[in-house]
């Protein structure tokens, strides 16, 4: 597959949120325990109201990961002046885990898009052992790139994104 056709590139996650990288770890995201999501899938906000279960397919329990969930389209895709908005930050996730078991540095915030279609990116980084990862002072104006650089995390090892837009009464039926 050509790199330019990769879903993360088409969804502008590579480019706007992170630099191009080669995925080296399997990451699966499940909402409501059993609904596995895939890149670019559109979900209703009600379906993503609680934190997902994240499976990481690392090979060694002694390797730890940091997971970032961010909205690069806040408050709206046509004028994302708050971008990125941090929705979740979990560190010290052991490899080969079948859940988001780790240290929740920033509590999961339910996505509530007001206008337009928002992308919600899950970005996974490999830590250099059990290292101290600093939580940001604010959820708004978060930068995944700057966060990774400040915490010496390097390039991502896995990423996935979903889309969501405001849920109207007619869409809930």
């Amino acid at each position: 597959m050509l790199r330019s056709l990769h879903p993360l590139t088409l969804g502008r996650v590579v480019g706007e949120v992170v630099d191009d990288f080669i995925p080296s770890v399997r990451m699966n995201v499940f909402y409501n325990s059993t609904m596995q999501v895939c890149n670019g899938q559109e979900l209703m906000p009600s379906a993503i109201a609680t934190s997902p279960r994240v499976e990481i397919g690392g090979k060694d329990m002694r390797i730890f990961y940091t997971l970032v969930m961010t909205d690069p389209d806040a408050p709206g895709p046509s004028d994302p002046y708050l971008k990125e908005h941090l929705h979740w930050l979990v560190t010290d996730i052991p490899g080969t885990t079948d859940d988001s078991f780790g240290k929740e540095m920033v509590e999961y915030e339910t996505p509530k898009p007001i206008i337009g279609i928002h992308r919600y990116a899950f970005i996974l980084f490999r830590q250099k052992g059990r290292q101290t990862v600093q939580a940001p002072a604010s959820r708004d104006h978060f930068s995944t790139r700057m966060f990774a650089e400040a915490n010496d995390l390097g390039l991502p090892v896995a990423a996935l994104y979903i889309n969501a837009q405001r849920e109207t009464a007619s869409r809930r039926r």
Side-chain angles (χ1 to χ4, degrees):
M1 174 191 303
L2 295 172
R3 295 290 288 169
S4 62
L5 297 180
H6 192 275
L8 293 168
T9 303
L10 288 173
R12 299 179 333 276
V13 172
V14 168
E16 291 184 16
V17 180
V18 296
D19 294 324
D20 198 11
F21 68 98
I22 297 171
S24 59
V25 174
R26 179 185 51 79
M27 177 177 67
N28 295 313
V29 177
F30 297 85
Y31 275 99
N32 302 321
S33 303
T34 58
M35 181 178 60
Q36 182 175 356
V37 300
C38 55
N39 270 317
Q41 182 176 357
E42 185 173 344
L43 299 172
M44 296 291 107
S46 58
I48 56 177
T50 58
S51 61
R53 180 172 54 94
V54 179
E55 291 180 354
I56 298 171
K59 296 179 178 162
D60 190 337
M61 287 292 286
R62 296 169 295 178
I63 296 175
F64 296 93
Y65 297 91
T66 292
L67 176 67
V68 171
M69 179 187 173
T70 184
D71 174 0
D73 301 317
S78 62
D79 186 19
Y81 64 86
L82 294 177
K83 75 170 170 184
E84 299 165 40
H85 181 81
L86 180 64
H87 279 269
W88 199 26
L89 174 60
V90 183
T91 64
D92 295 331
I93 303 168
T96 68
T97 188
D98 62 356
D99 200 353
S100 306
F101 178 72
K103 182 178 179 183
E104 190 174 55
M105 301 288 290
V106 176
E107 185 179 333
Y108 184 82
E109 180 182 82
T110 301
K112 295 177 184 166
I114 297 169
I115 188 167
I117 299 171
H118 288 240
R119 297 165 291 161
Y120 296 94
F122 295 87
I123 312 293
L124 187 70
F125 296 95
R126 180 179 171 169
Q127 295 176 199
K128 294 176 171 50
R130 275 199 186 248
Q131 66 190 74
T132 301
V133 175
Q134 298 295 320
S138 170
R139 288 179 185 261
D140 290 333
H141 306 291
F142 180 79
S143 167
T144 300
R145 282 187 184 95
M146 290 174 59
F147 171 78
E149 185 178 320
N151 288 286
D152 196 26
L153 294 170
L155 289 173
V157 295
L160 177 90
Y161 82 100
I162 57 173
N163 292 309
Q165 61 183 307
R166 185 174 179 189
E167 195 166 354
T168 62
S170 62
R171 291 184 63 175
R172 283 183 226 150
R173 290 183 194 149

